[in-house]
Amino acid sequence: RTLGTLVVIGGTVGLAYGCSAAGNAPIGSDTTDGSTPAANYGDSDEAGSSTGTTPKKDAGSTHSDGGGAYDAGPPKAPEGSPCDSSLGFGDPQATESCGVCGTQTRICSTPDGGKMGVWDIWGSCGSEVTTPDACDSSKVYPATACGNCGTMQQVCGFDCHFETGFDCTEPVGACHPTDTKFVLGASCTTAGQGRAYTCSATCVYGSPSACELPPPNPNTITISPTVGTTVTAPFSLTSGATTPKIDASCPATLATTATPFIDIAIVNPTARNVTVSLWNGPTSGSSDLDTIMAWYPTPVAPPSDMTACSSASDDCSGSDCANTGAHSGWSSLSGTDAASIPAGGTITVYVGGYTSSVTGNFTLHAKTEN
């Protein structure tokens, strides 16, 4: 990161230093939570980070102990020391680093107008890094908190800015504090009941609740009791809600990549078992989205086991899809993949983006087939 250059001026040998910007390129978005590190800039641990983090610095570079200034070598000549005015600011003694990647200068004062003079006082420190991510490149910083009880390295680059592009390392199985998951069954003897688990401040799920009915899903479509009738409702995929992507097969395989998703409850208000065709398409003025759909024979949202789907698809086919103007990126569950809902029952439909960048509005269509 630093370049040392021998400079010979007027018989005097000096060592000039230059700095370059940090070279880390950002790594892709953190898939599971999209989190960013907490801004605790300024905290440092000169003895070394508790996580063993070491700064990315060239072995041959030298730093001063304060302010992030680069070590200019031996101390500069003190104020009032003799100097050669003909060298001006080219004299290595006329400039030094200060503050956070700043510099300050002084002049060789010659009251009698001659060549030889004495060094004046230093001027103010200029061109310092003052942005919120300013840091002292001579120090080692502890990891900062991120995501769900995770940590992320903090490394100060030679440009006195914190480097970017580090992954957030979360504990295995970490959950988001205050989140609740509902597990259907969970040793409950009454059909349709389960237990709720709340994520604690330490990002682990706590003790189960007493047996209870699952909480209602705010994203719901109630199908029509009339055969051949389609009910529609608008929904959205947002970057704020992600989950591991499933493939278009059941039982599903969960990918390591997280994508935007939404779980939608499909309610059968009738006293008969009903088959329902489901497909998504654009809302008015929205763009096409590349999606995956799957349905689960459970009212729980999200399903406690995302691999246990009944059918899944990442394509939209059939006359119903054509009627929406949907492109092949949309998805549908029809024919042998259509959902079955028992009398008075509720199922859950998962709609997820095919990639982590798929966000936007869509319409879900639910057609009563029998």
Side-chain angles (χ1 to χ4, degrees), residues 64-71 96-104 124-130 134-138 160:
S64 67
D65 289 333
Y70 299 101
D71 192 343
E96 73 173 1
S97 53
C98 61
V100 182
C101 281
T103 57
Q104 60 185 1
S124 60
C125 187
S127 301
E128 286 192 83
V129 176
T130 58
C135 57
D136 184 339
S137 60
S138 70
C160 296

Side-chain angles (χ1 to χ4, degrees), residues 58-87:
D58 294 338
S61 64
T62 308
H63 301 274
S64 67
D65 289 333
Y70 299 101
D71 192 343
K76 301 293 184 179
E79 177 187 345
S81 300
C83 56
D84 184 347
S85 63
S86 66
L87 298 178

Side-chain angles (χ1 to χ4, degrees), residues 220-224 229-235 264 266 276-283 320 324 362-368:
T220 301
I221 286 182
T222 299
I223 65 171
S224 171
T229 300
T230 299
V231 177
T232 65
F235 298 99
I264 303 168
I266 310 297
V276 179
S277 294
L278 300 155
W279 67 95
N280 52 28
T283 59
D320 291 325
T324 68
F362 68 92
T363 297
L364 184 66
H365 305 255
K367 181 180 179 181
T368 303

